């Protein structure tokens, strides 16, 4: 559920067109950045929680590297997807419309951005499923730890008697 603002932000960006004001765009992008701010700390804690203290520095470095590498690949994949979708729409518009200079290219760019943000929002929404499952597992582990803690206290009381 922490990733939901990022997915919603990407979807809202699919609604942008030439008439969309700067402030709406800024609000939609800010929503996504807020989602990132909400998402990163729990992910970091969850990833490093299982490591022993002597490996925390290595784990933190590896996590930072993996996050940056993933972001680099993600941005490049989106750039390639955007270029592909713009080319696709340019070809499709040239077949159906008379070439009036930059008009076709501008329409193709808008449609390419729309497609790219739509695909991004769908991929991010799919990421909500494993995040939810991890959250359910964590809740189950907390319940199990609580039950184990109660059992340990009972056993300790019985031994004292």
């Amino acid at each position: 559920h922490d990733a939901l603002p990022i997915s919603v932000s990407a979807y809202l960006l699919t609604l942008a067109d030439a008439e969309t004001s700067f402030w709406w765009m800024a609000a939609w992008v800010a929503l996504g950045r807020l989602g990132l701010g909400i998402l990163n700390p729990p992910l970091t804690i969850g990833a490093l929680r299982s490591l022993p203290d002597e490996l925390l520095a290595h784990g933190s470095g590896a996590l930072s590297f993996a996050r940056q590498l993933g972001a680099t690949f993600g941005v490049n994949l989106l750039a390639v997807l955007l270029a592909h979708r713009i080319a696709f729409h340019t070809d499709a518009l040239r077949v159906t419309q008379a070439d009036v200079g930059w008009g076709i290219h501008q329409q193709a760019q808008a449609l390419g951005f729309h497609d790219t943000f739509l695909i991004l929002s769908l991929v991010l929404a799919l990421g909500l499923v494993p995040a939810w499952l991890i959250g359910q597992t964590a809740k189950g582990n907390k319940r199990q730890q609580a039950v184990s803690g109660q059992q340990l206290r009972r056993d300790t009381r019985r031994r004292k008697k």
Side-chain angles (χ1 to χ4, degrees):
H1 63 3
D2 291 340
L4 187 61
I6 302 168
S7 181
V8 169
S9 170
Y11 178 74
L12 289 172
L13 288 168
T14 67
L15 305 176
D17 59 18
E19 302 299 317
T20 305
S21 75
F22 166 79
W23 294 110
W24 277 115
M25 293 282 290
W28 296 341
V29 170
L31 176 65
R33 298 312 165 261
L34 175 68
L36 279 174
I38 292 170
L39 183 63
N40 279 334
L43 283 178
T44 301
I45 290 169
L48 298 177
R49 180 180 293 163
S50 63
L51 293 177
D53 290 344
E54 62 271 6
L55 294 178
L56 280 177
H58 296 290
S60 178
L63 179 63
S64 178
F65 175 77
R67 188 176 286 158
Q68 290 179 12
L69 187 64
T72 301
F73 280 124
V75 167
N76 283 311
L77 284 173
L78 286 174
V80 168
L81 176 64
L82 177 62
H84 179 305
R85 297 308 299 168
I86 289 173
F88 170 80
H89 287 296
T90 300
D91 292 343
L93 290 170
R94 280 197 178 131
V95 169
T96 61
Q97 297 179 14
D99 194 355
V100 289
W102 282 99
I104 288 177
H105 188 65
Q106 288 174 334
Q107 285 179 314
Q109 281 187 326
L111 292 169
F113 273 97
H114 176 270
D115 292 353
T116 302
F117 280 118
L118 183 61
I119 291 168
L120 177 62
S121 69
L122 293 173
V123 168
L124 290 169
L126 287 174
L128 293 172
V129 174
W132 180 80
L133 291 172
I134 289 170
Q136 295 303 310
T137 303
K139 287 178 186 176
N141 289 342
K142 286 180 184 177
R143 284 189 207 113
Q144 185 178 8
Q145 288 173 354
V147 169
S148 297
Q150 291 171 353
Q151 184 65 39
L152 180 63
R153 285 191 292 276
R154 279 190 226 129
D155 291 345
T156 305
R157 286 185 206 134
R158 288 181 188 152
R159 286 186 205 137
K160 288 181 181 178
K161 291 181 180 180

